[in-house]
Each structure stands twice: as C-alpha cells, then as structure tokens.
Amino acid sequence: MALTLAQAIQVTRDMLAADPSPFNFSKADIRAAIDAADAWATANAASYNTALPTVFKNGASASQKALLLAYVCIRRAGL
Amino acid sequence: MATGTVLLLPGGATLPDGSANNVGPGMSLRQGSQTGKKYHGLTLDFDGAGSGVESAWWTFRLPANYASGGTLQIQWQSNATANAVKWQAQVGAITPADADTPLEHALAAAATVTTNVNTTEARRLTESSITLTMDSAAAGDMVELVIFRDAADAADTNTADAEMIEAAFEYVTT
C-alpha cells in the first residue's frame, strides 16, 4: 500500500528534523524518492521477512519488523 | 520625500490559532557560533514540506508621514542551497470609523515574490522584496499585514523551512 500524501509529508518532516544537513531537494524530488523507497519496500517485503531468523520472523508483529529495519538503517547512517 | 520604515520582528508577530487555514509558523530561538557572548535571535520558520499555508500577522498604525507606496523587505535564511521560496503578503487598511470593523475588513489582493535560496551556503542571509497592494491606505490607518507561505504552491520548490529573521515595511514619506 503506497504512502498517502500526508504520510509522505510526515516522512519529509521527520527527515528534516533528524538530520541538520542542508536539504537541497525540491518537493517533487523528495516525493519521487519517497515513492521509490516505498515501492522498493513493497517489492522486497517478502525477501526481508525471509531473511529474518525464525524466532523473530514468527514472533514479531509487522510493526516490530518495520521498526527493526528502520532503526537498523538509521543507525547504519550514523543518526 | 524620503523612505520611512516600520520594522516587523518575529517577536512582534501575532500567530494564528492553529485552526483550519489558520496555521502559524514555528518560532525558533537561534544561537550564534561566536566565542563567548553569542548572538541570539528569533526566527519564524515557515514550513516548506507540508501541504498548506502558514501565516504570521502584524498590526500597526500607518505613520503620520506616510505619503505613498508600500514595500516589504523580508530578510530570511533556509537550510538549503537549491530551490526557491515564494513569499506572499497582504495588507488591510482600516480608517477610524470605517464601516468595516478591523475583524470584518477584507484584505487587498496578495502580492508575491519568488526568491532562490543562497546557492553558495545554507542559511546565508537572503532578502526578498514585495511591492504590496496597499488597500487605499492613508496616514493614521490601522494596518493589518500578513506574511505567508503556501508550501503547496508550485512555484515554491524549497522543501526546507524559510526562516524569517525580520521584515521591514518601507514607504514614501511626505
């Protein structure tokens, strides 16, 4: 399910709040990037789930799996 | 004839109540990077990421030496080195005993300017000039002035906040 406009705006705000770097992307550019990341997440959801160890895969909720991926990516980026 | 000025500072703004179509910018206290005693100043942070209008209001008495004109000089910065901000402003001028009360008075048409952010360094000071539609204003009128930014406007491409440091209303004196 694709992100709504309101969700995409919130993603942008979260990015602006979390990273003090200059933000040089137009609204169209950032929306296209969000849509691309969203589409990638949809296309690779099954692959991600398969990659998880069995205990977590079978015991974690969809929210917990989403948070795991998000926070791993955030920490990998040094944030 | 000379140029008169009315300063419009963030701390002197009246911010809307947050209801639909009445959202105000955030206000930030910014600290300089000097050694020892550091600069401190307020900014009004007009949103660029959202989908609606943010506005801030000033009210003042048009000075007795007002003759004509009305230009808004907005000094601002943004945490970006690409894209543009579209500033918009409207004025309402109410003469004492006008049929419309200050709360009823319709504002004159909005005037706008679209200005690129500084492309060399984020948050370098940038100035935008708007020639206002002055609503037949005369000396002694009560002026309602609103500065706003519509994040959904196609000409406003900057996603980051436009941080207004101060603005000056300039006019031709008698």
Side-chain angles (χ1 to χ4, degrees):
Chain A
M1 187 175 68
L3 294 182
T4 64
L5 173 61
Q7 290 171 319
I9 288 171
Q10 193 56 55
V11 169
T12 307
R13 287 188 169 140
D14 291 342
M15 289 178 65
L16 288 166
D19 186 350
S21 305
F23 201 87
N24 297 324
F25 308 104
S26 71
K27 289 162 210 181
D29 289 339
I30 190 62
R31 182 60 205 256
I34 290 170
D35 288 347
D38 190 25
W40 181 90
T42 299
N44 292 280
S47 172
Y48 167 58
N49 194 53
T50 302
L52 293 170
T54 302
V55 173
F56 190 86
K57 177 170 58 182
N58 294 338
S61 66
S63 297
Q64 288 172 322
K65 292 175 184 176
L67 287 169
L68 175 72
L69 179 60
Y71 281 117
V72 167
C73 291
I74 287 169
R75 298 296 176 245
R76 282 171 57 97
L79 297 170
Chain B
M1 292 196 310
T3 300
T5 300
V6 177
L7 284 178
L8 308 172
L9 302 175
T14 302
L15 301 181
D17 66 358
S19 61
N21 302 315
N22 292 286
V23 176
M27 185 180 289
S28 297
L29 174 63
R30 300 193 181 272
Q31 184 184 69
S33 57
Q34 297 89 349
T35 302
K37 189 159 55 247
K38 302 179 190 304
Y39 165 79
H40 285 74
L42 296 173
T43 61
L44 290 175
D45 304 335
F46 290 81
D47 182 40
S51 60
V53 172
E54 288 190 349
S55 55
W57 294 81
W58 287 264
T59 305
F60 57 92
R61 184 178 187 273
L62 202 55
N65 65 352
Y66 175 85
S68 64
T71 303
L72 200 58
Q73 311 286 357
I74 302 172
Q75 294 195 323
W76 57 283
Q77 62 189 16
S78 186
N79 188 22
T81 56
N83 299 303
V85 172
K86 181 177 176 179
W87 289 102
Q88 308 191 56
Q90 282 180 282
V91 165
I94 301 107
T95 304
D98 265 357
D100 285 348
T101 69
L103 297 183
E104 295 168 339
H105 188 79
L107 303 179
T112 73
V113 65
T114 301
T115 309
N116 286 324
V117 303
N118 186 284
T119 56
T120 303
E121 182 185 18
R123 288 204 168 96
R124 280 201 184 180
L125 185 64
T126 306
E127 184 164 282
S128 298
S129 178
I130 300 178
T131 302
L132 297 165
T133 304
M134 283 303 295
D135 195 26
S136 304
D141 281 357
M142 173 193 149
V143 171
E144 300 169 342
L145 189 152
V146 59
I147 297 175
F148 62 100
R149 181 185 185 195
D150 182 357
D153 192 296
D156 189 308
T157 51
N158 181 25
T159 310
D161 283 352
E163 301 159 358
M164 195 199 97
I165 299 165
E166 56 97 2
F169 169 78
E170 294 185 345
Y171 60 95
V172 178
T173 64
T174 51

Short mmCIF file of all heavy atoms in Angstrom, two decimals, chain B residues 73-116:
data_model
loop_
_atom_site.label_atom_id
_atom_site.label_comp_id
_atom_site.label_asym_id
_atom_site.label_seq_id
_atom_site.Cartn_x
_atom_site.Cartn_y
_atom_site.Cartn_z
N GLN B 73 10.37 44.30 2.73
CA GLN B 73 11.70 43.71 2.57
C GLN B 73 11.82 42.60 3.62
O GLN B 73 11.85 42.89 4.81
CB GLN B 73 12.81 44.75 2.78
CG GLN B 73 12.63 46.04 2.01
CD GLN B 73 12.91 45.90 0.53
OE1 GLN B 73 13.29 44.82 0.04
NE2 GLN B 73 12.70 46.96 -0.22
N ILE B 74 11.86 41.37 3.16
CA ILE B 74 11.93 40.24 4.08
C ILE B 74 13.35 39.68 4.08
O ILE B 74 13.89 39.36 3.02
CB ILE B 74 10.95 39.12 3.66
CG1 ILE B 74 9.52 39.66 3.59
CG2 ILE B 74 11.03 37.93 4.61
CD1 ILE B 74 8.53 38.66 3.00
N GLN B 75 13.95 39.61 5.26
CA GLN B 75 15.28 39.00 5.36
C GLN B 75 15.12 37.63 6.01
O GLN B 75 14.51 37.49 7.06
CB GLN B 75 16.22 39.89 6.17
CG GLN B 75 16.50 41.22 5.44
CD GLN B 75 17.68 41.98 6.01
OE1 GLN B 75 17.88 41.99 7.22
NE2 GLN B 75 18.44 42.65 5.15
N TRP B 76 15.69 36.63 5.36
CA TRP B 76 15.43 35.26 5.76
C TRP B 76 16.61 34.37 5.39
O TRP B 76 17.55 34.80 4.72
CB TRP B 76 14.14 34.75 5.10
CG TRP B 76 14.14 34.80 3.59
CD1 TRP B 76 13.94 35.92 2.82
CD2 TRP B 76 14.35 33.73 2.68
NE1 TRP B 76 14.01 35.59 1.49
CE2 TRP B 76 14.26 34.26 1.37
CE3 TRP B 76 14.60 32.37 2.84
CZ2 TRP B 76 14.41 33.46 0.22
CZ3 TRP B 76 14.74 31.57 1.70
CH2 TRP B 76 14.65 32.12 0.41
N GLN B 77 16.51 33.13 5.82
CA GLN B 77 17.53 32.13 5.51
C GLN B 77 16.83 30.79 5.40
O GLN B 77 15.67 30.63 5.79
CB GLN B 77 18.58 32.07 6.63
CG GLN B 77 17.97 31.67 7.97
CD GLN B 77 18.93 31.81 9.14
OE1 GLN B 77 19.94 32.47 9.04
NE2 GLN B 77 18.59 31.17 10.25
N SER B 78 17.55 29.80 4.84
CA SER B 78 16.98 28.46 4.74
C SER B 78 18.12 27.45 4.73
O SER B 78 19.20 27.72 4.20
CB SER B 78 16.15 28.32 3.46
OG SER B 78 15.48 27.07 3.43
N ASN B 79 17.85 26.32 5.31
CA ASN B 79 18.88 25.27 5.38
C ASN B 79 18.89 24.49 4.06
O ASN B 79 18.56 23.30 4.01
CB ASN B 79 18.60 24.34 6.56
CG ASN B 79 19.73 23.35 6.79
OD1 ASN B 79 20.87 23.57 6.36
ND2 ASN B 79 19.43 22.25 7.46
N ALA B 80 19.26 25.18 2.98
CA ALA B 80 19.28 24.59 1.64
C ALA B 80 20.14 25.45 0.74
O ALA B 80 20.34 26.65 1.00
CB ALA B 80 17.87 24.49 1.08
N THR B 81 20.64 24.86 -0.31
CA THR B 81 21.40 25.63 -1.31
C THR B 81 20.81 25.45 -2.70
O THR B 81 21.48 25.70 -3.70
CB THR B 81 22.89 25.20 -1.34
OG1 THR B 81 22.96 23.80 -1.58
CG2 THR B 81 23.58 25.54 -0.03
N ALA B 82 19.59 25.02 -2.77
CA ALA B 82 18.91 24.89 -4.06
C ALA B 82 17.42 25.09 -3.84
O ALA B 82 16.91 24.87 -2.74
CB ALA B 82 19.17 23.52 -4.69
N ASN B 83 16.76 25.53 -4.90
CA ASN B 83 15.30 25.73 -4.94
C ASN B 83 14.89 27.10 -4.39
O ASN B 83 15.73 27.88 -3.97
CB ASN B 83 14.57 24.58 -4.24
CG ASN B 83 14.86 23.25 -4.92
OD1 ASN B 83 14.62 23.10 -6.11
ND2 ASN B 83 15.41 22.29 -4.19
N ALA B 84 13.60 27.37 -4.45
CA ALA B 84 13.10 28.73 -4.23
C ALA B 84 11.95 28.76 -3.23
O ALA B 84 11.24 27.78 -3.05
CB ALA B 84 12.63 29.33 -5.56
N VAL B 85 11.80 29.93 -2.62
CA VAL B 85 10.69 30.18 -1.70
C VAL B 85 9.80 31.27 -2.30
O VAL B 85 10.30 32.29 -2.78
CB VAL B 85 11.20 30.65 -0.32
CG1 VAL B 85 10.06 31.11 0.57
CG2 VAL B 85 11.98 29.53 0.35
N LYS B 86 8.50 31.04 -2.28
CA LYS B 86 7.54 32.05 -2.72
C LYS B 86 6.93 32.71 -1.49
O LYS B 86 6.13 32.08 -0.78
CB LYS B 86 6.45 31.44 -3.59
CG LYS B 86 5.43 32.45 -4.12
CD LYS B 86 4.42 31.80 -5.04
CE LYS B 86 3.34 32.77 -5.49
NZ LYS B 86 2.37 32.13 -6.42
N TRP B 87 7.33 33.95 -1.24
CA TRP B 87 6.76 34.73 -0.14
C TRP B 87 5.51 35.46 -0.63
O TRP B 87 5.47 35.95 -1.76
CB TRP B 87 7.76 35.76 0.36
CG TRP B 87 8.92 35.18 1.10
CD1 TRP B 87 10.18 34.98 0.62
CD2 TRP B 87 8.94 34.72 2.45
NE1 TRP B 87 10.99 34.43 1.58
CE2 TRP B 87 10.26 34.26 2.72
CE3 TRP B 87 7.99 34.65 3.47
CZ2 TRP B 87 10.63 33.75 3.96
CZ3 TRP B 87 8.37 34.13 4.71
CH2 TRP B 87 9.67 33.69 4.94
N GLN B 88 4.51 35.55 0.24
CA GLN B 88 3.30 36.25 -0.12
C GLN B 88 2.89 37.16 1.05
O GLN B 88 3.17 36.85 2.22
CB GLN B 88 2.17 35.27 -0.40
CG GLN B 88 2.57 34.20 -1.43
CD GLN B 88 1.40 33.37 -1.91
OE1 GLN B 88 0.43 33.92 -2.42
NE2 GLN B 88 1.49 32.06 -1.76
N ALA B 89 2.24 38.27 0.71
CA ALA B 89 1.83 39.21 1.76
C ALA B 89 0.56 39.93 1.32
O ALA B 89 0.32 40.16 0.13
CB ALA B 89 2.93 40.22 2.06
N GLN B 90 -0.24 40.28 2.31
CA GLN B 90 -1.48 41.04 2.08
C GLN B 90 -1.61 42.12 3.15
O GLN B 90 -1.14 41.96 4.28
CB GLN B 90 -2.70 40.11 2.19
CG GLN B 90 -2.96 39.26 0.97
CD GLN B 90 -4.17 38.38 1.16
OE1 GLN B 90 -4.08 37.36 1.83
NE2 GLN B 90 -5.30 38.78 0.60
N VAL B 91 -2.28 43.17 2.74
CA VAL B 91 -2.48 44.31 3.64
C VAL B 91 -3.97 44.64 3.70
O VAL B 91 -4.68 44.58 2.69
CB VAL B 91 -1.70 45.55 3.13
CG1 VAL B 91 -2.17 46.82 3.81
CG2 VAL B 91 -0.21 45.36 3.32
N GLY B 92 -4.42 45.00 4.89
CA GLY B 92 -5.74 45.60 5.05
C GLY B 92 -5.56 46.93 5.77
O GLY B 92 -4.79 47.00 6.74
N ALA B 93 -6.18 48.00 5.29
CA ALA B 93 -6.04 49.32 5.92
C ALA B 93 -7.42 49.79 6.37
O ALA B 93 -8.35 49.85 5.56
CB ALA B 93 -5.43 50.32 4.94
N ILE B 94 -7.52 50.09 7.65
CA ILE B 94 -8.81 50.50 8.22
C ILE B 94 -8.69 51.90 8.78
O ILE B 94 -7.83 52.17 9.63
CB ILE B 94 -9.26 49.53 9.33
CG1 ILE B 94 -9.38 48.11 8.78
CG2 ILE B 94 -10.58 49.96 9.93
CD1 ILE B 94 -8.28 47.18 9.20
N THR B 95 -9.52 52.79 8.29
CA THR B 95 -9.57 54.17 8.79
C THR B 95 -10.53 54.21 9.98
O THR B 95 -11.57 53.53 9.95
CB THR B 95 -10.07 55.12 7.69
OG1 THR B 95 -9.22 54.98 6.55
CG2 THR B 95 -10.07 56.56 8.15
N PRO B 96 -10.18 54.95 11.03
CA PRO B 96 -11.11 55.05 12.16
C PRO B 96 -12.53 55.41 11.68
O PRO B 96 -12.69 56.28 10.82
CB PRO B 96 -10.50 56.16 13.02
CG PRO B 96 -9.03 56.04 12.78
CD PRO B 96 -8.92 55.68 11.32
N ALA B 97 -13.49 54.70 12.21
CA ALA B 97 -14.93 54.88 11.90
C ALA B 97 -15.33 54.26 10.57
O ALA B 97 -16.47 54.44 10.12
CB ALA B 97 -15.36 56.33 11.95
N ASP B 98 -14.41 53.50 9.94
CA ASP B 98 -14.81 52.75 8.73
C ASP B 98 -16.01 51.85 9.03
O ASP B 98 -16.17 51.38 10.16
CB ASP B 98 -13.65 51.85 8.26
CG ASP B 98 -12.82 52.53 7.18
OD1 ASP B 98 -13.17 53.65 6.77
OD2 ASP B 98 -11.82 51.92 6.76
N ALA B 99 -16.81 51.62 8.00
CA ALA B 99 -17.98 50.76 8.18
C ALA B 99 -17.58 49.34 8.59
O ALA B 99 -18.26 48.69 9.38
CB ALA B 99 -18.80 50.73 6.89
N ASP B 100 -16.47 48.88 8.03
CA ASP B 100 -15.98 47.55 8.42
C ASP B 100 -15.16 47.66 9.70
O ASP B 100 -14.28 48.52 9.82
CB ASP B 100 -15.06 46.98 7.33
CG ASP B 100 -15.85 46.49 6.13
OD1 ASP B 100 -17.09 46.38 6.23
OD2 ASP B 100 -15.22 46.23 5.10
N THR B 101 -15.45 46.78 10.64
CA THR B 101 -14.59 46.73 11.83
C THR B 101 -13.28 46.07 11.43
O THR B 101 -13.18 45.42 10.37
CB THR B 101 -15.25 45.89 12.94
OG1 THR B 101 -15.26 44.52 12.52
CG2 THR B 101 -16.68 46.36 13.21
N PRO B 102 -12.24 46.20 12.27
CA PRO B 102 -10.98 45.53 11.95
C PRO B 102 -11.13 44.02 11.75
O PRO B 102 -10.38 43.41 10.99
CB PRO B 102 -10.09 45.85 13.15
CG PRO B 102 -10.60 47.18 13.62
CD PRO B 102 -12.10 47.10 13.42
N LEU B 103 -12.10 43.41 12.41
CA LEU B 103 -12.27 41.97 12.27
C LEU B 103 -13.05 41.61 11.00
O LEU B 103 -12.99 40.47 10.54
CB LEU B 103 -13.00 41.39 13.48
CG LEU B 103 -12.25 41.51 14.81
CD1 LEU B 103 -13.04 40.84 15.93
CD2 LEU B 103 -10.85 40.92 14.72
N GLU B 104 -13.75 42.57 10.45
CA GLU B 104 -14.54 42.29 9.25
C GLU B 104 -13.81 42.64 7.96
O GLU B 104 -14.15 42.15 6.89
CB GLU B 104 -15.85 43.11 9.27
CG GLU B 104 -16.81 42.75 10.37
CD GLU B 104 -17.93 43.78 10.51
OE1 GLU B 104 -17.75 44.92 10.06
OE2 GLU B 104 -18.97 43.42 11.09
N HIS B 105 -12.84 43.51 8.05
CA HIS B 105 -12.26 44.12 6.86
C HIS B 105 -11.60 43.08 5.96
O HIS B 105 -10.79 42.26 6.41
CB HIS B 105 -11.24 45.17 7.28
CG HIS B 105 -10.72 45.98 6.13
ND1 HIS B 105 -11.44 47.02 5.58
CD2 HIS B 105 -9.58 45.88 5.41
CE1 HIS B 105 -10.76 47.54 4.57
NE2 HIS B 105 -9.62 46.86 4.45
N ALA B 106 -11.92 43.14 4.67
CA ALA B 106 -11.30 42.24 3.69
C ALA B 106 -9.94 42.80 3.27
O ALA B 106 -9.80 44.00 3.03
CB ALA B 106 -12.19 42.09 2.47
N LEU B 107 -8.96 41.92 3.17
CA LEU B 107 -7.62 42.37 2.80
C LEU B 107 -7.54 42.62 1.30
O LEU B 107 -8.31 42.06 0.51
CB LEU B 107 -6.59 41.30 3.19
CG LEU B 107 -6.55 40.90 4.66
CD1 LEU B 107 -5.50 39.82 4.88
CD2 LEU B 107 -6.26 42.10 5.55
N ALA B 108 -6.59 43.45 0.90
CA ALA B 108 -6.30 43.66 -0.51
C ALA B 108 -5.68 42.38 -1.09
O ALA B 108 -5.32 41.46 -0.35
CB ALA B 108 -5.36 44.84 -0.69
N ALA B 109 -5.56 42.35 -2.39
CA ALA B 109 -5.02 41.16 -3.06
C ALA B 109 -3.60 40.86 -2.59
O ALA B 109 -2.84 41.77 -2.25
CB ALA B 109 -5.03 41.36 -4.57
N ALA B 110 -3.27 39.59 -2.60
CA ALA B 110 -1.93 39.18 -2.17
C ALA B 110 -0.89 39.60 -3.22
O ALA B 110 -1.15 39.55 -4.42
CB ALA B 110 -1.88 37.68 -1.96
N ALA B 111 0.26 40.01 -2.73
CA ALA B 111 1.40 40.28 -3.59
C ALA B 111 2.46 39.24 -3.27
O ALA B 111 2.54 38.74 -2.13
CB ALA B 111 1.94 41.68 -3.34
N THR B 112 3.26 38.88 -4.26
CA THR B 112 4.18 37.77 -4.06
C THR B 112 5.56 38.06 -4.66
O THR B 112 5.71 38.93 -5.51
CB THR B 112 3.65 36.48 -4.73
OG1 THR B 112 3.77 36.60 -6.15
CG2 THR B 112 2.20 36.22 -4.36
N VAL B 113 6.52 37.30 -4.20
CA VAL B 113 7.84 37.28 -4.84
C VAL B 113 8.42 35.89 -4.62
O VAL B 113 8.23 35.28 -3.56
CB VAL B 113 8.78 38.36 -4.26
CG1 VAL B 113 9.10 38.11 -2.80
CG2 VAL B 113 10.06 38.44 -5.08
N THR B 114 9.08 35.39 -5.64
CA THR B 114 9.72 34.08 -5.53
C THR B 114 11.23 34.29 -5.62
O THR B 114 11.72 34.90 -6.56
CB THR B 114 9.25 33.14 -6.66
OG1 THR B 114 7.83 33.01 -6.57
CG2 THR B 114 9.89 31.77 -6.53
N THR B 115 11.93 33.80 -4.61
CA THR B 115 13.37 34.06 -4.49
C THR B 115 14.11 32.75 -4.26
O THR B 115 13.72 31.95 -3.41
CB THR B 115 13.65 34.99 -3.29
OG1 THR B 115 12.81 36.14 -3.38
CG2 THR B 115 15.10 35.43 -3.26
N ASN B 116 15.19 32.57 -5.00
CA ASN B 116 16.02 31.39 -4.78
C ASN B 116 16.76 31.50 -3.46
O ASN B 116 17.15 32.60 -3.04
CB ASN B 116 17.04 31.23 -5.91
CG ASN B 116 16.40 30.76 -7.19
OD1 ASN B 116 15.47 29.96 -7.17
ND2 ASN B 116 16.88 31.25 -8.31
#
